[in-house]
Amino acid sequence: MKLSIERGTLLKAVAQAQSVVERRNTIPILANVLIEAEGDTVQFRATDLDIEVVDKAPAKVERAGATTVNAVMLHEIVRKLPDGALVTLTDDSATGRLTVEAGRSNFNLATLPKEDFPVMASSEYASNFSAPAPVLRRLFDKSKFAISTEETRYYLNGVYMHVADAEGGKVLRCVATDGHRLARIDADLPIGAEDMPGVIVPRKTVGELRKLLEDDDMKIAVSVSETKVRFATPDITLTSKVIDGTFPDYTRVIPQGNTRKMEVDAAEFAKAVDRVATVSSERSRAVKLTLDEDRLVLSVNAPDSGAAEEELAVAYGDERLEIGFNAKYLLEIASQVDRENAVFMFNSSGDPTLMREGNDTSAVYVVMPMRV
């Protein structure tokens, strides 16, 4: 195999591949990227056995062929090469080495046989549809902060993507929760997604997927089966196993009868929470919200480090309410708001609180209170 490729193009392709590779693995081949050159393209394939990413890039292929080489090392080398350099990759199967040349730089890397590289079995997908990148980006970006990190409740370690019924009809919905907070984001249902099985997309996949969604004009082809999900652009295909488990009935957690309404400038609120939380020795310390007519007092009282208080003007016309929250959770939820105003719906100091953006019900957040 011999090919020449522009350094920037190579770096982008290898960067995506090496981020999938598990750093700590006991199977040497899984640390490698499979490079396949044919025609006028080169493919870079990496896997951790749960996720597989294939990145295609244009290249000048002199000799077709394939080999595998350490993904992280190749990425580091390419990253350190000068901008605009032309990189030549030459595989010598006799010596089991891959030569990387650019200008006066020359690297000789050990390879492993391409036959040992595990390729994810292709499966039949029950549902195939396409969605604009900004739509998918919003669904996953706004929900991923609520993904649980508890390994014991593995079915919460991802984003539940499914078709749901909303006021205006069926929607494509993403939900994530860790038991303390919940995010539920809706988007218009793409054509072809009506019969999609609900799947839990793992946390790592959600992180990798974000790199495919940068281009606002891009359409993403989505394929879903009971066991796998695939996201593809013309250049990159990301295939992932889904979490084998049943996502809990999240609708029971979303409060319907909260009537006490507070409207606040989301950015000002987030900054104020951040400021008063500074005195709490741990980030998880409670922030107390005291609500009176059109005013909100945020306070923190940490006996070992001090106290803080800040007042905000809000729109609130109900009876006085005192309620406590984890400062980190409040910050994360407030930072999801794209519009100016956040609307909080309270019931009592012991009940879950609901938050949305203005009158928009396509993004709804729930946060559990804390005792203060």
Side-chain angles (χ1 to χ4, degrees), residues 21-46:
V21 167
E22 275 295 336
R23 295 288 196 277
R24 301 181 303 275
N25 67 58
T26 52
I27 309 167
I29 193 78
L30 290 182
N32 282 17
V33 57
L34 173 63
I35 306 169
E36 301 168 292
E38 198 177 343
D40 54 2
T41 59
V42 57
Q43 267 193 172
F44 297 88
R45 187 188 296 262

Side-chain angles (χ1 to χ4, degrees), residues 131-138 212-216 218-220:
V135 171
L136 289 174
R137 191 168 65 217
R138 175 179 176 272
L212 273 71
L213 306 176
E214 297 292 349
D215 185 349
D216 284 355
M218 188 73 79
K219 277 271 202 192
I220 310 292

Side-chain angles (χ1 to χ4, degrees), residues 114-185:
K114 61 179 187 293
E115 292 77 20
D116 296 350
F117 194 87
V119 174
M120 201 177 264
S122 58
S123 59
E124 289 295 311
Y125 291 98
S127 178
N128 296 281
F129 59 92
S130 66
V135 171
L136 289 174
R137 191 168 65 217
R138 175 179 176 272
L139 282 171
F140 285 100
D141 271 8
K142 284 182 169 294
S143 56
K144 67 183 178 190
F145 76 90
I147 294 174
S148 172
T149 52
E150 268 184 59
E151 295 304 323
T152 48
R153 299 164 80 189
Y154 64 93
Y155 49 84
L156 297 181
N157 293 162
V159 172
Y160 180 41
M161 180 172 76
H162 60 295
V163 178
D165 292 309
E167 289 164 18
K170 288 198 179 297
V171 292
L172 181 62
R173 176 174 288 174
C174 280
V175 178
T177 182
D178 64 358
H180 304 290
R181 61 256 165 99
L182 177 143
R184 189 199 79 191
I185 318 298

Side-chain angles (χ1 to χ4, degrees), residues 287-309:
V287 171
K288 185 161 88 170
L289 278 64
T290 308
L291 277 157
D292 261 326
E293 191 160 329
D294 290 346
R295 70 189 270 269
L296 163 69
V297 176
L298 295 160
S299 57
V300 169
N301 194 353
D304 45 355
S305 53
E309 191 173 289

